[in-house]
Amino acid sequence: MYIKKRRLGRGVAIVGAGVSKFGSFSDKTSRDLFIEAFSELKQSVDRGINPKDIEALYLGNHIGEYCEGQSLMAPIIAGYLGMIPKPATRVENACVSSGVALREGIIAIASGLYDIVLVGGVEKMTTLSTEGVTDALGSALDALYETPAGFTFPGIYAAMATTYMDKYGAKEEHFMKVAIKNHNNGALNPKAQFNITIKDIMNGRIAKAKQKGQPIPTWVDEMEFLKDPKANPAVAWPMKLFDCSPITDGASCLLLVAEEVAKSFTETPVYVIGTGQGSDYPLYEREDMTTILAAKFAAQEAYAMAGVKPEDIQIAEVHDCFTIAELVGIEDIGFFSPGGAIRAVEEGITARDGAKPINTSGGLKSKGHPVGATGTAQAAEIWLQMRGQAGARQVPDKDISLALTHNVGGSGPTCAVHIYERR
Amino acid sequence: MYIKKRRLGRGVAIVGAGVSKFGSFSDKTSRDLFIEAFSELKQSVDRGINPKDIEALYLGNHIGEYCEGQSLMAPIIAGYLGMIPKPATRVENACVSSGVALREGIIAIASGLYDIVLVGGVEKMTTLSTEGVTDALGSALDALYETPAGFTFPGIYAAMATTYMDKYGAKEEHFMKVAIKNHNNGALNPKAQFNITIKDIMNGRIAKAKQKGQPIPTWVDEMEFLKDPKANPAVAWPMKLFDCSPITDGASCLLLVAEEVAKSFTETPVYVIGTGQGSDYPLYEREDMTTILAAKFAAQEAYAMAGVKPEDIQIAEVHDCFTIAELVGIEDIGFFSPGGAIRAVEEGITARDGAKPINTSGGLKSKGHPVGATGTAQAAEIWLQMRGQAGARQVPDKDISLALTHNVGGSGPTCAVHIYERR
């Protein structure tokens, strides 16, 4: 794969970030969720920001048509933020919609056109039933060749998982370990949809059984709980309920500025020093289902631009829409060799206190996955961790100067990778 | 309105363009349509282009979810073009989706990231019934406050038309004159969905009546034909059937390159010297329905960047989704004062042989309006006119060195304006 060393016309920094509470909110629209995230962003800019000074909005949204009957969402959101008549553009690249919105914001500043750009994403998913959301998300598969064959996303990722098991000897336990780790992190994130450990979920079920006078489950630990098909039924084997990210309402946003003006917003900006984006064929046309070419290409372009290597990166948020996706993802970004993710989860290397913490936010699995908002929510976690503001989930004993986000769309036909630096 | 003089990091040129046949094609998908446009583009690049050398794709598509059950369309199209693993991004800003894709392509080259970018758009609309398409397009209205009140696009533009009539004394005849002019142009465009004049439509109906032994209509000219409510029934008064652009399948694309490499593709590039984009509130929140703020802002930003004035522009493609939209559009881009468009159509100033030819392609009205493809199709017309390759519809007695496109989304919450130069 030929990787061109790409350069941006000028540097870009994050000087503010905001994330709404993630969850299921019957009383909130996309607009409400985005305003909630933007309100936090405004508070986060150390020296303040007037919305009138923001020059453009790039908004990621994936299934607004299905969930709210709303296309052309960007100018509507811009109106609520007080940004009229500034340009507002919606990017739709499935679950990497706001990852690409972030990239477009970076490019637009680098072009010289703007100094101050808002990027973000939003998704309001719980207006639909689980079946309705599954169908809506299914629009990101190939509508000619995959959806008519009966594929939905759990099945697509299950196919990747069985291939990965077959090729590298992974067991169901390895997927479970990813879920346990990410819930351990999400339990420390007050914004997370499931801010609870799997052990606490298990203990809650035991307590409930006792209270109701029902037979008391004999689980001795989370792993036994996850192996019990009544507690953790298969969705599409080997992907079980606790291998799947949830259906989530949420929004997130970042304030990007040109590097040369960053210090007028904060003394501690987070610089974006690498951006990469790649594409691939739909799953049915791929030669290898245990890796995602779009992610490898995006990562290699981002590393080449940043001039750093995978071993230099201290923490990362990786796209764990299903637990198998985290294993494939940490290999695609070069943290581990093909199949090497198995040992990584076995040895706790990717735990919050491990050598290479992955998904300190709780990941999509525990924090939640409002698809259009996920990309910029990942970057918002990096913003907090790099500034030492991640509270109870701050990674211990690390002064983080290099971090990475990996955001995948659909079954992997699109991916964005970004690399961040604190100087 | 404060207009910032914006500058791009480096110049951008169009070195190729392609447009599919516009119409209703039950045997073609979006993919087929885009490949058709791209095949023409490849032929149009004087010194050739290898798809492997294209570094990124920006694709405009508005209602693919509704019409083909397909989101995440950009990487799928990129796959068919042989562009994997290069980045591919879908922009969705209603009917300005590919106008904004063009802008993003320009910005991306200006940023220094790429030298060669493909931008385009596609829409496959005829899979749905007229009611179905009307509902799908209606997703670009405000889904909380406009659609539930019963508004669809003909009603929205009818509201603008009655306000415009009330404020400036326009008559239904002025709208009809726009339709007649654009059909006169579209009759000379072999790609147009309706490449026929309204006079020929009228004569065809007369001939048919004679043939069938029915009463022979007494229309003496197109205007009488258009005033006959049987021939031209109201859709939403004063917008009648022949005031509305049709439902269209089609695709279009442009090859953009950095100015410094343009001459290695062709001796006669078309330079993009101005780009502007603006936003506005949904119609229900606007103070004035006879003008579109997003368009005025976009135009003024584009003029400021290009360093030219409205009077310098020799031809323009203007967003005539409804005939009223062309009148408002030519005022918003500063060609005529508010209300001045009335005199312009009365005096034939905007005709192909007039002082300020508008929509030589036939416009959305006659050429067709595959919504996601319209923005780059407008630019493709400018490409042909500026290079003297527009065939029978080439504007007479003009050597065109400055031209403009005006592309509006929804009821006007978003607009992109571009200015082109031939040196």
Side-chain angles (χ1 to χ4, degrees):
Chain A
M1 192 158 59
Y2 171 72
I3 299 298
K4 183 170 170 181
K5 182 158 169 33
R6 297 177 189 278
R7 248 174 228 290
L8 293 172
R10 57 184 186 155
V12 176
I14 303 173
V15 297
V19 179
S20 75
K21 178 83 178 82
F22 280 13
S24 174
F25 307 110
S26 59
D27 59 336
K28 290 181 187 170
T29 64
S30 284
R31 305 162 195 207
D32 299 318
L33 292 163
F34 201 90
I35 291 166
E36 187 180 326
F38 186 66
S39 300
E40 185 178 87
L41 180 146
K42 281 195 286 186
Q43 294 297 320
S44 78
V45 181
D46 294 335
R47 291 179 186 144
I49 178 70
N50 182 340
K52 298 246 170 279
D53 293 332
I54 302 174
E55 296 171 283
L57 167 66
Y58 288 94
L59 180 77
N61 176 257
H62 175 23
I63 50 171
E65 288 84 355
Y66 294 104
C67 296
E68 295 182 300
Q70 186 72 67
S71 61
L72 189 54
M73 200 183 280
I76 290 179
I77 297 278
Y80 281 87
L81 305 184
M83 285 180 58
I84 302 298
K86 305 294 176 57
T89 297
R90 176 204 180 187
V91 172
E92 188 283 305
N93 262 32
C95 306
V96 68
S97 294
S98 64
V100 175
L102 164 56
R103 179 173 162 91
E104 293 308 313
I106 292 164
I107 291 172
I109 289 174
S111 77
L113 201 64
Y114 312 120
D115 289 334
I116 308 172
V117 172
L118 181 68
V119 299
V122 66
E123 210 77 54
K124 166 70 189 173
M125 301 173 78
T126 64
T127 47
L128 300 180
S129 65
T130 301
E131 290 78 6
V133 171
T134 304
D135 282 349
L137 295 171
S139 68
L141 297 171
D142 189 304
L144 283 184
Y145 300 112
E146 290 178 334
T147 355
F151 264 114
T152 59
F153 273 102
I156 286 279
Y157 277 89
M160 293 189 211
T162 50
T163 315
Y164 187 88
M165 291 166 87
D166 187 52
K167 186 167 182 180
Y168 298 117
K171 308 283 177 210
E172 294 168 67
E173 286 83 345
H174 296 112
F175 306 135
M176 294 170 181
K177 279 178 192 290
V178 172
I180 292 168
K181 168 183 75 70
N182 288 353
H183 270 271
N184 286 346
N185 293 341
L188 303 173
N189 182 354
K191 297 279 180 64
Q193 182 167 9
F194 299 136
N195 63 327
I196 184 169
T197 63
I198 291 182
K199 185 169 268 174
D200 282 344
I201 295 170
M202 176 187 81
N203 288 334
R205 302 261 177 107
I206 292 171
K208 202 171 168 189
K210 278 183 187 164
Q211 197 186 11
K212 291 195 168 182
Q214 292 167 342
I216 297 163
T218 56
W219 311 310
V220 298
D221 61 16
E222 307 105 299
M223 200 55 95
E224 284 218 352
F225 170 76
L226 292 177
K227 286 180 181 174
D228 180 345
K230 282 189 188 148
N232 188 20
V235 174
W237 189 88
M239 292 292 101
K240 307 180 185 67
L241 186 63
F242 281 91
D243 291 299
C244 306
S245 60
I247 292 165
T248 310
D249 303 331
S252 62
C253 52
L254 309 168
L255 190 65
L256 303 181
V257 304
E259 186 172 312
E260 62 258 37
V261 302
K263 287 287 175 83
S264 60
F265 293 88
T266 175
E267 280 303 315
T268 52
V270 168
Y271 298 92
V272 190
I273 58 168
T275 174
Q277 183 185 349
S279 304
D280 197 357
Y281 297 100
L283 191 77
Y284 82 93
E285 278 195 287
R286 284 184 219 151
E287 286 175 23
D288 185 349
M289 293 205 288
T290 64
T291 181
I292 290 176
L293 174 69
K296 284 164 78 171
F297 181 78
Q300 290 178 36
E301 291 238 329
Y303 286 128
M305 184 186 287
V308 302
K309 295 193 173 65
E311 48 269 35
D312 302 326
I313 305 292
Q314 295 162 287
I315 60 166
E317 291 283 305
V318 169
H319 197 88
D320 60 323
C321 51
F322 296 88
T323 51
I324 175 65
E326 180 171 314
L327 298 184
V328 169
I330 58 181
E331 295 175 6
D332 287 340
I333 58 177
F335 284 11
F336 303 97
S337 58
I342 296 172
R343 193 180 59 85
V345 290
E346 279 174 354
E347 297 179 4
I349 298 170
T350 55
R352 201 170 58 82
D353 58 358
K356 211 82 168 178
I358 302 292
N359 287 329
T360 55
S361 67
L364 285 47
K365 173 68 204 82
S366 166
K367 181 186 55 182
H369 185 23
V371 288
T374 282
T376 38
Q378 291 178 320
E381 174 70 10
I382 297 297
W383 155 267
L384 290 176
Q385 290 283 355
M386 289 193 117
R387 289 167 40 111
Q389 296 174 321
R393 69 185 186 282
Q394 184 72 40
V395 291
D397 310 322
K398 272 199 176 71
D399 194 27
I400 304 164
S401 58
L402 282 170
L404 179 149
T405 55
H406 157 273
N407 184 199
V408 172
S411 67
T414 178
C415 180
V417 170
H418 287 92
I419 297 173
Y420 310 83
E421 184 182 36
R422 211 209 53 221
R423 291 170 191 163
Chain B
M1 190 158 57
Y2 170 70
I3 299 298
K4 184 170 169 180
K5 181 157 167 36
R6 297 179 189 276
R7 247 174 228 289
L8 293 172
R10 56 182 185 159
V12 176
I14 303 173
V15 296
V19 179
S20 75
K21 177 84 177 81
F22 280 14
S24 174
F25 308 109
S26 59
D27 59 337
K28 290 181 186 169
T29 64
S30 284
R31 303 162 196 205
D32 300 317
L33 293 162
F34 201 89
I35 290 166
E36 186 180 326
F38 185 65
S39 300
E40 185 177 86
L41 179 145
K42 281 194 287 184
Q43 295 296 321
S44 78
V45 181
D46 294 334
R47 293 182 185 144
I49 177 72
N50 181 341
K52 297 247 170 279
D53 293 332
I54 302 174
E55 297 173 283
L57 167 67
Y58 288 95
L59 181 77
N61 175 257
H62 175 22
I63 50 172
E65 287 84 355
Y66 294 105
C67 297
E68 295 183 299
Q70 187 70 68
S71 60
L72 188 53
M73 200 184 281
I76 289 179
I77 298 279
Y80 281 87
L81 304 185
M83 286 180 57
I84 301 300
K86 305 294 176 54
T89 297
R90 177 203 179 188
V91 172
E92 189 283 305
N93 260 34
C95 306
V96 70
S97 294
S98 65
V100 175
L102 164 57
R103 180 173 162 91
E104 293 308 315
I106 294 164
I107 291 172
I109 290 174
S111 77
L113 201 62
Y114 312 120
D115 290 333
I116 308 173
V117 172
L118 182 68
V119 299
V122 64
E123 211 77 53
K124 167 69 190 174
M125 301 172 77
T126 63
T127 47
L128 300 180
S129 64
T130 302
E131 291 78 7
V133 172
T134 305
D135 283 350
L137 294 171
S139 68
L141 297 172
D142 189 305
L144 282 183
Y145 300 112
E146 291 178 333
T147 354
F151 264 115
T152 59
F153 273 102
I156 286 278
Y157 277 90
M160 293 189 212
T162 50
T163 315
Y164 187 88
M165 291 166 87
D166 188 53
K167 188 166 179 180
Y168 297 118
K171 308 285 178 211
E172 294 168 68
E173 286 82 346
H174 296 112
F175 307 135
M176 293 170 183
K177 279 180 193 289
V178 172
I180 292 168
K181 168 181 76 71
N182 288 353
H183 271 270
N184 286 346
N185 294 340
L188 304 173
N189 183 354
K191 297 279 181 67
Q193 182 167 10
F194 300 137
N195 60 328
I196 184 169
T197 64
I198 290 180
K199 183 170 272 175
D200 282 343
I201 296 171
M202 177 187 81
N203 288 334
R205 302 257 179 111
I206 291 171
K208 202 172 169 186
K210 279 184 187 163
Q211 196 185 11
K212 291 194 169 183
Q214 292 168 343
I216 297 164
T218 56
W219 310 311
V220 297
D221 61 13
E222 307 103 299
M223 200 55 98
E224 283 217 355
F225 171 76
L226 292 176
K227 285 180 180 173
D228 180 345
K230 280 188 190 152
N232 189 20
V235 174
W237 189 90
M239 292 292 102
K240 307 181 185 67
L241 186 61
F242 281 91
D243 291 298
C244 306
S245 59
I247 293 165
T248 310
D249 303 331
S252 62
C253 52
L254 308 169
L255 190 66
L256 304 180
V257 304
E259 187 173 311
E260 61 260 37
V261 301
K263 288 285 174 86
S264 59
F265 292 89
T266 176
E267 280 303 314
T268 51
V270 167
Y271 298 92
V272 190
I273 59 168
T275 174
Q277 183 185 350
S279 304
D280 197 357
Y281 297 100
L283 190 79
Y284 83 93
E285 278 195 286
R286 283 184 220 151
E287 285 175 24
D288 185 350
M289 292 204 288
T290 64
T291 179
I292 289 177
L293 174 69
K296 285 164 77 169
F297 182 77
Q300 290 178 37
E301 291 239 327
Y303 286 127
M305 184 187 286
V308 301
K309 296 193 174 65
E311 48 270 34
D312 302 326
I313 305 291
Q314 294 162 286
I315 60 167
E317 292 283 305
V318 169
H319 197 90
D320 60 323
C321 50
F322 296 88
T323 50
I324 175 65
E326 179 170 315
L327 299 184
V328 170
I330 58 180
E331 296 174 6
D332 287 340
I333 58 177
F335 284 10
F336 302 96
S337 59
I342 295 172
R343 193 180 58 82
V345 290
E346 280 174 353
E347 298 180 4
I349 298 170
T350 55
R352 202 171 57 83
D353 57 358
K356 212 81 169 177
I358 302 292
N359 287 329
T360 55
S361 67
L364 286 45
K365 172 68 202 83
S366 167
K367 180 185 55 180
H369 185 22
V371 288
T374 282
T376 38
Q378 291 178 319
E381 174 70 9
I382 296 299
W383 156 265
L384 290 178
Q385 290 282 353
M386 290 194 116
R387 287 167 43 110
Q389 297 174 319
R393 68 185 187 281
Q394 184 71 41
V395 292
D397 310 321
K398 271 199 176 73
D399 193 28
I400 303 162
S401 59
L402 282 170
L404 179 149
T405 56
H406 157 274
N407 183 200
V408 172
S411 66
T414 178
C415 181
V417 170
H418 287 92
I419 297 173
Y420 310 83
E421 185 182 34
R422 212 208 53 221
R423 290 169 191 163

